Amino acid sequence: MTTIAEKILARASGKGEVEAGEIVMANIDIAMIHDLTGPLAVESFNKIGSEKVWDPLKIVIPFDHQVPADSLDSANNHIFMRKFAKEQRIEHFYDVNEGICHQVLPEKGHVLPGTLIVGADSHTCTYGAFGAFATGIGSTDMAMVLSTGQLWFKVPETMQFNINGDLKENTSAKDVILHIIGNVGADGATYKSCEFIGQTISNMSISDRMVLSNMAIEMGGKTGLMEPDEKTYEFLKDRVAGENKNRLKAFIEKSNLKTDSYSSSLEIIDVDVSNLEPQVACPNNVDNVKPASELSDVEIDQVFIGSCTNGRIEDLRDAAKILKGNKIANGLRMLVIPASRETYLKALDEGLIKIFVEAGALVSQPCCGPCLGGHTGLIGPEEVSLSTSNRNFKGRQGSPDGEVYLSSAKVAAESAIEGKISIPK
Amino acid sequence: MKGKVFKFGNDIDTDIILPGRYLIYTDEEELSKHCMEGLVSDFKSQANDGDFIVGGTNFGCGSSREHAPIAIKGCGISAVIAESFARIFYRNATNVGVPLLEAPGISEIIEDGEEIEVDMEKGIILSESGKEIEFKKLPPFMLEILESGGLISYLRKQNE
C-alpha cells in the first residue's frame, strides 16, 4: 500500500504504482518561476535551444522578490522576464503588484490537490497544504521542465507527523513547526516527503496549514503534504477556473488522498502540542529552537511580520490584536508586509493597516521584503531582527554580522512593543 | 585531481555560499566574486583552479538558487566533498557541472589548507599524510554530465 507522495507520483508518471526509492519520469502539472530565479532558468531554456515552452497555460510567473525594481539590474531582469512571458504567451503572469508567489498561486487557483507542482524556489513545498506534491528545483531542472514538461524524481520515503492536542491561545502553527524542526534537525527529513496529519491539523485554517508545509524544507523535506479536506475545497472552489472546478469537486468527494496506515515506506512521529509554549529559532540555524520564555533578554532592532510563512491575513489579525492601542518600543523598527494584494485589501478593509501605522510600523507593498536580504529592510552589523519568515542563516537579512530570530506573528507583535523577545500575555 | 582544501563546518547554507542580494546576477564571473562571502571575504582570490571545498553534514541546505553552485564553479573549485549534501543543491551542482562527493568521516580526517588527491575512478581521497578516505563513486552517466560541464552541455552533445 502507498503514501500520498507515491500516489501522486504514480499518477504523474503514468504508472499504476510506484514505490519509494524508484526513479520516475513524471509529467508536471504546474511550473512556477519568479523574477529572481526566472532569468537563470530562461537563460538555460534558451541554451537548450528550445523555441516554445511545453504548455504556456501550465507555467505561472509571479514577480515578488525585487518588487518594485530596486536597482537597474532588477529592472533589467523584470524586462527580460516580461518579454519571455509575452513571447511564450504565458497568460498566468503576475507583475509587481500581486504578491508573494507561494500566496499568489493558491489564491489564483493554480494549486489543485493530487497534482505535481515544481517551482524554482525552495518554499514551493508550501502547496503541500492543499495536497499537491510540490517541490523546489533549480534553474537547469526548470529549463528542462519549461522545454519538455517532464522531470525525473526519486520517489521519496514519507516521514509522517501525527500532530494532536489543542494549541494554547498564545501559540500558533509557527510554534508547532519550529518545535518539530528543533527536534528533527535541519537535515532530519532530507529527501523525505514530510506529511502532517492529526486532529491539530484538521482543526487548523488553510493559512496555518501553509505555515507547516512551507517550512518542511527547513528540515530537508522534499515536500510537506497534507490530506485535502472540506476546508481545502472551501478555499479553492471559487478560485479554480473551468475544467479544474469539476476536477476539484470530484477529487474532494472521492477523498482518497491519504497515506495507507501500513505503507512500507512510512515513518510515523507522534507530536503532542497541548502543552506547547511559544518557540523561537535562534541564529544561525532554523533547528536552533528554544522556548521564547528563555530569550527574554534578547533586545531587538527590527521586527518583520510578513513572508510566505507568516504574511497572511490571519497573521496580520494576530499581530493587530496585540498592537491595537499600543506603540512599538522606542528605537525599534517594525515592518509589516502583507503576503499578497488580496491580503493587503482585506487588512485595509478590516482596519488592520491603521492599527500598524498608528503603532509606529511601516507597512509596505506585498513582496518578499527582508526575508532573503536582497530587497528592502535589510539589517546592518550587530543588529538583531525578529522575523516571522522561515530562515535565519548567517547574513540572511543583510549583514553577516547581524542576527535573525524567527517566531510567530503573535510573539513578533508582543516583542515589538516590549523591545525584546516577549510572550503575549 | 589534486588541490588545496578549504574546510567549512556543518549546515553550510546557500545564503553563505551566495548571499541573496547577488541573485540579480546570472553571470558566473560576477557570481563567483561573492562566493562564500558570508564566511570568507574574497574567497575567489584565495582559491586556485582545482582546489576543493570540504564540508560537514547537510552542505548546501536552504534555497534552490542555482547561483550557489555556479559561484563555486566560477572559483575554479574542482569538487565539493562533504559528509552529506542537501537535496536541491545536489541536483543543481551536478546540473551545472560541479562534482559533489559524499565521504562520511571526511571532516575528521582532512584539515583546512591540506593538499589532497581525489581519484574519481577508484572513489578514493588521499590526504597529505597518506590516509585514504573512500567516497561514494558516481555512476558513469553522472561522470559524463560533469565532464561535459553540466547537464545542458551534455544534452547538446547528445543531440549533435
Side-chain angles (χ1 to χ4, degrees):
Chain A
M1 297 310 273
T2 58
T3 62
I4 300 180
E6 287 165 338
K7 285 176 187 178
I8 296 176
L9 287 173
R11 185 201 60 81
S13 57
K15 295 185 166 189
E17 240 179 61
V18 298
E19 57 181 69
E22 194 176 334
I23 290 180
V24 297
M25 188 61 86
N27 295 311
I28 305 299
D29 292 297
I30 290 288
M32 186 278 294
I33 51 176
H34 55 60
D35 58 320
L36 205 50
T37 55
L40 203 51
V42 172
E43 279 181 13
S44 296
F45 170 81
N46 291 337
K47 277 186 206 154
I48 293 175
S50 307
E51 283 182 4
K52 289 261 175 265
V53 296
W54 106 96
D55 186 344
L57 289 175
K58 291 182 175 173
I59 297 163
V60 186
I61 307 180
F63 281 5
D64 58 358
H65 280 66
Q66 319 279 129
V67 299
D70 59 336
S71 66
L72 276 180
D73 288 310
S74 302
N76 281 325
N77 281 343
H78 290 182
I79 291 167
F80 178 74
M81 291 304 293
R82 285 190 192 106
K83 191 163 165 264
F84 175 74
K86 196 173 174 194
E87 280 172 2
Q88 295 290 340
R89 300 172 191 276
I90 292 166
E91 286 177 26
H92 305 307
F93 167 67
Y94 302 101
D95 213 308
V96 297
N97 58 345
E98 208 59 62
I100 306 175
C101 56
H102 304 312
Q103 186 62 19
V104 170
L105 260 74
E107 276 181 4
K108 299 293 180 187
H110 301 303
V111 175
L112 274 182
T115 56
L116 176 59
I117 303 178
V118 291
D121 188 289
S122 59
H123 291 107
T124 301
C125 50
T126 311
Y127 317 137
F130 301 87
F133 187 100
T135 194
I137 61 172
S139 305
T140 303
D141 278 347
M142 183 53 82
M144 169 158 172
V145 173
L146 294 177
S147 173
T148 67
Q150 292 193 315
L151 194 65
W152 68 266
F153 292 86
K154 186 169 139 196
V155 180
E157 291 167 340
T158 290
M159 195 178 234
Q160 188 184 60
F161 298 92
N162 181 19
I163 308 170
N164 290 287
D166 294 327
L167 286 169
K168 289 184 187 171
E169 185 66 22
N170 62 357
T171 57
S172 67
K174 184 64 162 283
D175 302 297
V176 176
I177 191 64
L178 289 179
H179 170 68
I180 288 174
I181 295 167
N183 283 334
V184 171
D187 59 353
T190 297
Y191 227 105
K192 302 259 170 81
S193 163
C194 297
E195 208 178 279
F196 306 99
I197 64 159
Q199 166 245 334
T200 314
I201 302 295
S202 304
N203 290 343
M204 274 183 186
S205 65
I206 289 294
S207 169
D208 282 346
R209 292 178 187 182
M210 289 170 77
V211 177
L212 277 89
S213 294
N214 175 272
M215 290 191 72
I217 178 72
E218 308 314 332
M219 46 184 164
K222 185 167 181 155
T223 186
L225 282 159
M226 292 187 188
E227 296 166 357
D229 62 7
E230 272 304 313
K231 285 182 185 168
T232 321
Y233 178 71
E234 280 303 311
F235 182 93
L236 293 173
K237 71 177 168 43
D238 297 325
R239 301 175 183 274
V240 297
E243 189 53 27
N244 283 341
K245 261 191 198 317
N246 298 330
R247 275 176 73 187
L248 175 68
K249 194 151 187 276
F251 197 90
I252 296 292
E253 277 165 5
K254 270 197 292 176
S255 76
N256 62 350
L257 198 60
K258 286 183 170 51
T259 285
D260 303 317
S261 54
Y262 38 89
S263 300
S264 57
S265 56
L266 177 65
E267 178 188 353
I268 301 172
I269 296 170
D270 287 308
V271 183
D272 178 5
V273 296
S274 41
N275 290 315
L276 187 69
E277 299 291 335
Q279 307 284 303
V280 170
C282 303
N284 291 323
N285 289 299
V286 187
D287 61 355
N288 186 15
V289 177
K290 293 181 181 154
S293 57
E294 289 177 14
L295 301 164
S296 54
D297 54 354
V298 176
E299 293 185 9
I300 308 158
D301 297 292
Q302 178 168 293
V303 168
F304 164 46
I305 295 183
S307 84
C308 56
T309 314
N310 284 114
R312 281 175 281 279
I313 190 68
E314 290 81 353
D315 304 302
L316 302 189
R317 284 178 194 144
D318 280 349
K321 203 171 156 187
I322 292 167
L323 284 163
K324 192 172 184 178
N326 288 303
K327 291 265 185 276
I328 62 170
N330 248 339
L332 181 137
R333 313 181 294 271
M334 183 178 191
L335 195 52
V336 179
I337 306 188
S340 68
R341 192 158 63 98
E342 184 180 311
T343 305
Y344 203 151
L345 280 169
K346 273 190 197 155
L348 274 171
D349 284 346
E350 295 179 19
L352 310 184
I353 303 294
K354 188 161 185 271
I355 294 172
F356 297 136
V357 175
E358 280 178 350
L362 292 165
V363 181
S364 118
Q365 78 286 352
C367 65
C368 300
C371 172
L372 85 161
H375 183 234
T376 189
L378 307 197
I379 58 165
E382 315 299 325
E383 288 199 313
V384 175
S385 161
L386 177 64
S387 171
T388 66
S389 55
N390 43 48
R391 287 192 177 133
N392 58 352
F393 302 151
K394 194 174 170 65
R396 175 75 181 179
Q397 292 189 359
S399 168
D401 299 318
E403 287 191 328
V404 182
Y405 290 81
L406 306 174
S407 78
S408 69
K410 291 176 184 175
V411 168
E414 185 69 30
S415 305
I417 297 168
E418 301 297 333
K420 43 192 188 177
I421 293 181
S422 310
I423 298 172
K425 287 144 201 123
Chain B
M1 298 194 288
K2 243 182 179 174
K4 196 173 77 167
V5 164
F6 290 88
K7 190 177 165 185
F8 298 95
N10 292 338
D11 300 316
I12 296 299
D13 58 71
T14 50
D15 280 270
I16 286 174
I17 302 170
L18 202 272
R21 58 188 173 279
Y22 305 117
L23 298 181
I24 47 172
Y25 306 117
T26 57
D27 175 55
E28 182 180 299
E29 177 64 27
E30 183 62 38
L31 291 170
S32 64
K33 287 183 202 160
H34 307 289
C35 187
M36 306 306 289
E37 198 173 282
L39 290 177
V40 185
S41 55
D42 214 6
F43 176 78
K44 189 178 181 170
S45 68
Q46 296 179 39
N48 291 311
D49 274 0
D51 284 349
F52 299 95
I53 287 176
V54 168
T57 55
N58 203 26
F59 190 96
C61 61
S63 103
S64 66
R65 60 188 71 160
E66 207 160 291
H67 310 66
I70 292 174
I72 290 176
K73 191 183 183 186
C75 292
I77 295 296
S78 58
V80 182
I81 312 164
E83 304 275 341
S84 64
F85 293 95
R87 179 188 65 83
I88 307 177
F89 183 80
Y90 192 88
R91 273 182 92 130
N92 286 350
T94 308
N95 283 346
V96 302
V98 176
L100 301 188
L101 309 177
E102 215 176 272
I106 181 98
S107 48
E108 282 177 23
I109 297 168
I110 300 292
E111 295 302 328
D112 188 43
E114 205 173 315
E115 286 276 338
I116 60 168
E117 202 174 335
V118 173
D119 188 325
M120 294 291 277
E121 274 174 28
K122 288 185 185 155
I124 286 172
I125 299 156
L126 191 66
S127 79
E128 211 170 84
S129 59
K131 281 184 194 155
E132 286 191 355
I133 306 131
E134 282 184 35
F135 64 88
K136 291 177 191 161
K137 277 196 283 181
L138 302 177
F141 83 91
M142 216 183 241
L143 287 174
E144 277 183 53
I145 291 175
L146 293 167
E147 277 159 18
S148 309
L151 184 64
I152 288 173
S153 318
Y154 171 77
L155 292 173
R156 288 173 69 107
K157 258 190 210 168
Q158 301 270 308
N159 290 339
E160 271 167 19

